[in-house]
Amino acid sequence: MAGSGDWAHEWSRIESTIRGSFRQLRERYLRRPRARNEEQALSQGESEQGTGNTLNKLPVEIQMYIMGLLSPQDLCQLGCVSRYWNAMVHDPLLWCYFLLRDLPHWGSVDHLSLPDAALLNKSLTENTEHDYMTVYLMSCPEGRKHRRVSPSAYSSVTSLLYSLVSQTEPRFAMFGPGLEQLDVSLVTKMMNSPEMLPVVSPPQRQIDGIGSGITFLFKNEYKFNILTLYSTTWKERESARLEENVAVNRLFVEQRGAEGKQGEAARAAYCIIPQVQNVCSVVNGFIYVTNAEGRRRHDREQEVLQIQAMIDPSLGARSRPLLVLCCTSQPGVQRIPCVYVAHQLQLGQLDRAWLAHDTDAFSLNGFLDSIEWILREVGTL
């Protein structure tokens, strides 16, 4: 990621480019020859609107400032005021600017809303014809709320029958470096937050030498079980955390794949040990906890390989969802935005439902929302 000075310079260049685009747009609009009937109609419409002509004549910087304060829904309504504002609102540079500006502040992204990485890496003026407005409305949290559809009558009946027949709570396998590298333990905080997530049953040694299962209660009604999978012993994990090293992960066995094309080096791959294979064959979904702190270096390539090994379709149905918790120790710690983490982990290439959600181990902010999502995906809610 670029330094703060480089990013400030780049952001100033982006705003300058957009202001130039708006000036050209306004000049084309104001200087465009009009038929007499059109001028009379526009004059009458502007007099009826009262402030329409005044808004048009505002400096470009003020117009841009006004649009920057509006929500996506308000911007779409602004486009209905006049032809001029409709052209302004649909300018691709404007929505590209909004996308780059707002994307780092979005707290979650899923398999239906992740923007294409190629768009984020393009120069601002490289492809001004792309429909950034659609990309923004599809990816932003407000747009995702409107995208949610209510369950059909059939799915409601199915969920009811499932709740009557199945008496066992759903089980999720939780793993990842965020369980071990952070200064605050996510699992410890979960177990000691009864006001948010009551513990129904104490930890049980369900997996030989690897981890334990804990049953929680969501919204005082829905039980679910989390099988926590640690990479190695507590002593080795704690030593690696203090030294900011990576502990040897005993959940996976590295395998060398076939050579790549044109003499490329053999690609590494992982398979999980037999005990964990048994776990993956019975769980309803996966929770991957990644370290999202910006101050630390991350080996995302290894993380990608380990995620692929854990959710290997040969071990269970592809329909099982993946929840990625982009976790930091404290709320104020510099974090890598979840959209960037999703691209680093290549989540867009997965063939299953997934959600990447920001959280922190100290306050568990955002954690309940993410649990609600995965419970809904498995049919519990």
Side-chain angles (χ1 to χ4, degrees):
M1 298 180 66
S4 58
D6 296 338
W7 178 247
H9 175 75
E10 177 68 11
W11 202 246
S12 176
R13 187 188 66 82
I14 290 174
E15 292 181 336
S16 177
T17 303
I18 295 175
R19 286 195 296 268
S21 175
F22 283 174
R23 287 193 184 96
Q24 295 176 7
L25 179 62
R26 185 167 67 176
E27 289 175 1
R28 289 199 306 268
Y29 175 82
L30 295 178
R31 295 178 180 178
R32 180 171 58 90
R34 299 172 180 165
R36 176 169 235 158
N37 294 339
E38 183 182 356
E39 290 181 353
Q40 292 177 352
L42 287 174
S43 177
Q44 181 180 359
E46 289 176 352
S47 63
E48 290 176 354
Q49 294 172 5
T51 59
N53 195 34
T54 303
L55 287 175
N56 294 357
K57 293 181 178 180
L58 288 174
V60 169
E61 290 79 6
I62 296 181
Q63 292 180 355
M64 182 177 173
Y65 177 76
I66 292 174
M67 288 187 288
L69 297 176
L70 301 179
S71 67
Q73 291 79 6
D74 293 335
L75 279 172
C76 294
Q77 293 178 3
L78 178 62
C80 300
V81 170
S82 67
R83 296 178 182 177
Y84 171 73
W85 282 102
N86 182 68
M88 292 283 280
V89 166
H90 284 81
D91 187 277
L93 285 178
L94 175 68
W95 288 96
C96 181
Y97 166 76
F98 286 156
L99 183 65
L100 297 176
R101 180 196 68 180
D102 298 343
L103 181 143
H105 304 289
W106 293 338
S108 64
V109 65
D110 63 13
H111 58 290
L112 298 176
S113 62
L114 181 67
D116 190 348
L119 292 179
L120 305 180
N121 295 328
K122 284 182 179 293
S123 170
L124 188 64
T125 57
E126 186 176 347
N127 186 10
T128 58
E129 299 302 323
H130 195 88
D131 191 0
Y132 286 100
M133 181 178 181
T134 298
V135 175
Y136 184 97
L137 296 177
M138 177 192 72
S139 304
C140 70
E142 294 83 358
R144 289 166 52 195
K145 289 179 182 178
H146 291 288
R147 194 186 66 216
R148 291 179 183 175
V149 294
S150 56
S152 63
Y154 173 78
S155 62
S156 300
V157 172
T158 302
S159 298
L160 175 61
L161 293 176
Y162 177 84
S163 64
L164 293 176
V165 174
S166 178
Q167 300 298 322
T168 59
E169 64 267 14
R171 289 177 287 185
F172 305 106
M174 185 164 70
F175 65 106
L179 292 174
E180 307 170 8
Q181 296 176 354
L182 302 177
D183 294 335
V184 180
S185 170
L186 176 65
V187 175
T188 300
K189 192 65 178 182
M190 290 166 53
M191 294 179 58
N192 291 277
S193 301
E195 70 286 353
M196 296 180 60
L197 207 61
V199 176
V200 177
S201 64
Q204 301 174 359
R205 303 298 296 183
Q206 299 181 359
I207 313 161
D208 294 337
I210 301 173
S212 59
I214 309 172
T215 299
F216 297 93
L217 191 63
F218 180 73
K219 291 186 175 180
N220 294 319
E221 183 177 359
Y222 305 100
K223 292 181 179 181
F224 67 97
N225 187 276
I226 290 183
L227 299 168
T228 307
L229 304 177
Y230 293 107
S231 65
T232 184
T233 64
W234 179 87
K235 184 176 181 180
E236 293 177 342
R237 299 196 309 266
E238 186 65 9
S239 176
R241 183 187 68 83
L242 294 175
E243 298 175 2
E244 294 192 354
N245 292 326
V246 178
V248 177
N249 198 321
R250 305 187 189 282
L251 296 177
F252 304 92
V253 178
E254 185 174 357
Q255 296 179 329
R256 305 303 297 182
E259 288 188 0
K261 297 180 180 179
Q262 298 180 352
E264 293 179 358
R267 296 181 179 180
Y270 287 98
C271 67
I272 53 180
I273 61 177
Q275 299 97 313
V276 179
Q277 290 183 16
N278 295 334
V279 172
C280 292
S281 65
V282 298
V283 297
N284 303 93
F286 303 90
I287 301 176
Y288 183 76
V289 185
T290 186
N291 186 340
E293 294 186 349
R295 64 178 179 84
R296 184 185 177 109
R297 297 182 63 87
H298 308 283
D299 192 348
R300 299 301 192 201
E301 293 184 2
Q302 293 293 319
E303 293 186 55
V304 170
L305 295 174
Q306 292 171 4
I307 291 175
Q308 292 174 348
M310 191 70 72
I311 65 174
D312 188 342
S314 66
L315 302 176
R318 295 178 182 269
S319 59
R320 296 181 296 177
L322 170 67
L323 170 62
V324 177
L325 296 177
C326 305
C327 197
T328 61
S329 300
Q330 304 280 346
V333 174
Q334 179 188 9
R335 70 162 54 249
I336 304 172
C338 64
V339 177
Y340 298 155
V341 173
H343 281 300
Q344 293 170 359
L345 296 179
Q346 302 178 20
L347 299 182
Q349 300 180 15
L350 300 181
D351 57 353
R352 68 184 64 221
W354 58 265
L355 172 74
H357 205 296
D358 286 343
T359 188
D360 68 86
F362 182 79
S363 68
L364 296 182
N365 182 36
F367 180 76
L368 292 183
D369 292 336
S370 61
I371 292 298
E372 181 176 1
W373 174 85
I374 197 169
L375 290 178
R376 188 185 302 115
E377 286 294 321
V378 300
T380 301
L381 300 183

